[in-house]
């Protein structure tokens, strides 16, 4: 677990160097760390469904971020791309979305305020494919 004295810049460097995430500090909010979608994507879902999804997983789980205020979790994935249109109706029905522009990563300030935290912190560069996550979570609802 990171030190309580860790700075946003130190955390950002950790994400870049140790985890291979193309993270940057958001210029307008110096305590916010973001990743532009492209080489990294995210599937976002309600926390209840996310908890059920994690419990059902048989394979390796990628990085997962909790957003307590909105009661949603973000599952980081490999490269983002267009969401398959065939999945759109089911995703809308279950309130599942994909990050379209950027993903906000937990910063030390976010964690201290209880705003954003890691459920499953990335220990390696592994991130499952977006399609794999989407199809797996929708299988739970069939």
């Amino acid at each position: 677990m990171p030190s309580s004295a860790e700075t946003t810049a130190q955390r950002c460097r950790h994400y870049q160097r140790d985890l291979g995430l193309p993270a940057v500090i958001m210029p307008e909010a110096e305590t916010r760390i973001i990743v532009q979608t492209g080489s990294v994507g995210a599937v976002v879902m309600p926390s209840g469904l996310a908890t059920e999804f994690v419990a059902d997983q048989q394979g390796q789980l990628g990085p997962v971020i909790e957003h307590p205020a909105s009661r949603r979790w973000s599952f980081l994935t490999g490269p983002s791309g267009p969401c398959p249109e065939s999945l759109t109706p089911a995703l809308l029905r279950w309130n599942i979305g994909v990050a379209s522009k950027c993903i906000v990563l937990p910063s030390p300030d976010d964690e201290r305020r209880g705003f954003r935290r890691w459920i499953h912190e990335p220990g390696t560069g592994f991130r499952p494919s977006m399609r794999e996550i989407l199809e797996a979570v929708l299988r739970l609802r069939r």
Side-chain angles (χ1 to χ4, degrees):
M1 181 54 71
S3 159
S4 61
E6 181 182 31
T7 68
T8 300
Q10 289 168 326
R11 177 72 62 88
C12 188
R13 281 192 298 276
H14 166 67
Y15 288 152
Q16 295 165 343
R17 184 182 51 238
D18 302 332
L19 305 176
L21 293 168
V24 296
I25 297 173
M26 192 173 182
E28 305 84 38
E30 295 178 358
T31 61
R32 184 150 297 156
I33 303 170
I34 62 169
V35 172
Q36 298 294 326
T37 57
S39 64
V40 179
V43 175
V44 184
M45 65 186 81
S47 58
L49 177 57
T51 302
E52 184 180 340
F53 173 72
V54 168
D56 186 65
Q57 288 306 291
Q58 303 295 318
Q60 187 176 9
L61 186 64
V64 182
I65 301 167
E66 178 187 26
H67 313 273
S70 65
R71 295 191 310 265
R72 297 181 70 72
W73 291 14
S74 295
F75 292 76
L76 271 57
T77 69
S80 64
C83 181
E85 287 187 34
S86 62
L87 299 180
T88 301
L91 297 176
L92 290 171
R93 184 171 40 257
W94 298 110
N95 198 16
I96 300 168
V98 297
S100 61
K101 188 174 180 179
C102 69
I103 302 157
V104 182
L105 302 176
S107 71
D109 190 56
D110 286 340
E111 291 172 345
R112 281 189 288 274
R113 293 183 302 132
F115 189 68
R116 189 175 288 109
R117 70 179 186 94
W118 289 108
I119 291 290
H120 188 262
E121 191 167 359
T124 67
F126 172 76
R127 291 181 296 276
S129 77
M130 182 176 286
R131 187 175 192 104
E132 183 181 343
I133 294 287
L134 291 171
E135 289 176 348
V137 74
L138 290 176
R139 273 194 302 274
L140 287 174
R141 294 296 172 208
R142 289 188 183 135

